[in-house]
Amino acid sequence: MLPPTQQPVSTPTPDSVLANTALDRTLIAILDFGSQYSELIARRIRETQVYSEVLSYRTSVEQLRQLNPKGIILSGGPNSVYATYAPACDPEIWNLGIPILGVCYGMQLMVQQLGGQVEAANTAEYGKASLWIDDPTDLLTNVEDETTMWMSHGDSVTALPPGFKVLAHTANTPHAAIAHHDRQLYGVQFHPEVVHSQGGQALIRNFVYHICECEPSWTTEAFVEEAIREVRAKVGDKRVLLALSGGVDSSTLAFLLHRAIGDNLTCMFIDQGFMRKLEPERLVKLFREQFHIPVEYVMARDRFLERLQGVTDPEEKRKHIGHEFIRVFEEESKRLGPFDYLAQGTLYPDVIESADTNVDPGTGERVAVKIKSHHNVGGLPKDLRFKLVEPLRKLFKDEVRKVGRSLGLPEEIVNRHPFPGPGLAIRIIGEVTTERLNILRDADLIVRQEINRSGAYREFWQAFAVLLPVRSVGVMGDQRTYAYPIILRFVSSEDGMTADWSRAPYDLLETISNRIVNEVKGVNRVAYDITSKPPGTIEWE
C-alpha cells in the first residue's frame, strides 16, 4: 500500500476499455486500485512483448470473461483493505480459473477475500529491502536470493488463507511473496514494476511466460498492421484532418494515416509563433519534399501574440493559447473541408490520466483522483462535428517511438525531446513579447546545437532554456550591462512523471553559457536549474 500522501491514478471505465480492445489479442489485464504504479505495471508487461491494459477495479467478472485475459494483476493502492469503504474487486474473480498476481494492496485484498488476515504493521516498510527466497519455483524462478525489492506499505499479512504458502520474506515482512500453486494465485508485498526492484522484471516475465503461458505477440510490426486495418475499416473513403505539431506523436500518426488512407489525409500545421527557431520551416519542408505528405501551413503568429498581451499567469497563458488554437483550427478546417474525421495523437497515458474521478456511488468516498485533462482527450469543444480517429491510444511513448522508427521517421523526430504544446510561451516567465521570444529562440538554438555537437542529446529527457522577466547587472567590454538571465534546465527521466536534474558535463555548460552571453543580445547571465521533480516540475510554467 502506498503512503497516504500519494494520490492514485484514475482509470477508464470498463466499457470504454472493452470498446477499444482487440479480443483476439493475448492480454494481461491490470485491475487498478488507485496505484501510482499501475501504468508502470502495464509498461513492464509490454516490455515482454505481451499486450496489457489497465482497467478499473470495478470491472466485473462478466466483462473480464469477454476480454478473455491470459492473466490478471491486481495493483497496489493507497487504502487499507480492512477500512470500511476499501475498494474491492468482484469476488468471483477467484473462480475464473486463470492466474492472478496481487501486488501490494492487491495481495492484501486477495488474502482478505480468501480467508486470511491483514493488519496494520508494527513497522511500516518503505524503500529498498532485501528479499530472502523460501521457494525458488514458479513466480521466483531465476530471481536471486537477497535481491533488492522496493517496499511501500503500512499494512501486512498476518495470516495466510487456506492452501497458501510463503515464497519469500524480508527482515520486516514474513509474507513478502505468497502463492497457492494449485489455483495459480500469487501475491507480492513489494513493487516488482519499479526500477529499484532488481529482480522485478524477472518476476514479471515468470508470471507472463511461465505461469500465464503468453506468447510474445505484441510487436511493433503487428501493431502497425492492425492499426492500418482498423483505420481503413473505420474511415473508408472519407477525409481525415490532422493537426500536425512536429512532435513524435503527431508525426508518427501522420505517417501511419498516410500509409493507411493516402491523399484522404490532410495535415494542418498552425504556426502560433511559439516554436523554436527554424522549426516551422524545417517541419513543413521535411513533410512536403522528403516525405511527400501534403501540409497546409497556417501563419497565425500575430493573432496569438496579440491574445497574450498583458497575460502573465501560466494557466491563463495556456487557456488563451488553447482557445485561440481552436478558433484558428475551426476557421481553417471549414476552409479546407469538409472533413468527416479528426485524427489525434492520443496516447494510452492520456486516456488513463484523463479518466473521470472514481467515486463510490453508495458512499461518496473518493477512491481515485483525476490527474489532468489532457489536451487530446478533453480540450476540444463539444460542438466540433468530427468523429475521432486515435490509432495511437493503445501505446505508451516509448512504443510510439518504435512505431515511428518502423514507419521510416528520421531520428531527429523519433528522438525529439518532449516540447510543450504552448511552446516557448511557457518558457518565458511572465508576459510574452516579441523581444523575449527572439531572445529565447536564439538561446534555445545554441542549447540544441551544443548538446547535439557534444553527442549528449539522447542522454537527456529534456534540455532547454528558460527566460526570466528580471534583469541583472553585468559587465561586458568594460561596459555595465543590465540584461536578462537565461536558466538552463536539463533533466533525466523515464516517463516525465518524475525527473532528476542532469549532471551535465561542466565543459558543455561552459560552452553553452559563453555562446549565449556572447551571441544573444539582451542576455548577460546563465544559471543552471538543479531542482528535481518533485518538488519542482520539468517546465517552469
Side-chain angles (χ1 to χ4, degrees), residues 320-364:
H320 282 293
I321 293 171
H323 291 161
E324 194 65 28
F325 183 90
I326 293 301
R327 279 212 281 268
V328 176
F329 184 85
E330 287 178 320
E331 294 169 10
E332 295 301 321
S333 63
K334 290 176 182 177
R335 178 179 67 85
L336 299 170
F339 297 97
D340 298 278
Y341 290 90
L342 172 67
Q344 291 193 139
T346 307
L347 303 189
Y348 195 42
D350 304 333
V351 176
I352 295 173
E353 292 179 353
S354 297
D356 288 338
T357 300
N358 286 330
V359 177
D360 189 288
T363 66

Side-chain angles (χ1 to χ4, degrees), residues 362-437:
T363 66
E365 175 102 350
R366 182 188 299 271
V367 294
V369 298
K370 186 174 183 176
I371 298 297
K372 63 178 179 178
S373 291
H374 190 270
H375 64 277
N376 279 345
V377 179
L380 292 173
K382 295 180 180 179
D383 58 352
L384 273 182
R385 297 184 178 180
F386 294 116
K387 298 175 184 177
L388 290 180
V389 179
E390 299 174 305
L392 307 182
R393 66 181 289 115
K394 299 173 183 176
L395 301 185
F396 290 103
K397 190 77 170 188
D398 56 330
E399 294 172 321
V400 174
R401 295 188 193 278
K402 292 176 183 177
V403 170
R405 191 173 286 111
S406 72
L407 290 170
L409 260 72
E411 289 298 309
E412 66 178 279
I413 293 180
V414 171
N415 292 312
R416 183 178 185 257
H417 288 174
F419 188 66
L424 298 181
I426 61 168
R427 291 180 178 173
I428 295 172
I429 311 305
E431 185 178 4
V432 178
T433 66
T434 300
E435 177 200 24
R436 292 175 179 179
L437 279 169

Side-chain angles (χ1 to χ4, degrees), residues 251-265:
S251 298
T252 298
L253 182 56
F255 268 55
L256 182 65
L257 291 174
H258 192 254
R259 181 174 294 188
I261 60 175
D263 292 339
N264 282 339
L265 170 68

Side-chain angles (χ1 to χ4, degrees), residues 62-73:
E62 289 73 21
Q63 290 169 320
L64 287 169
R65 286 196 180 103
Q66 292 178 44
L67 284 171
N68 192 30
K70 297 282 286 184
I72 297 172
I73 295 179

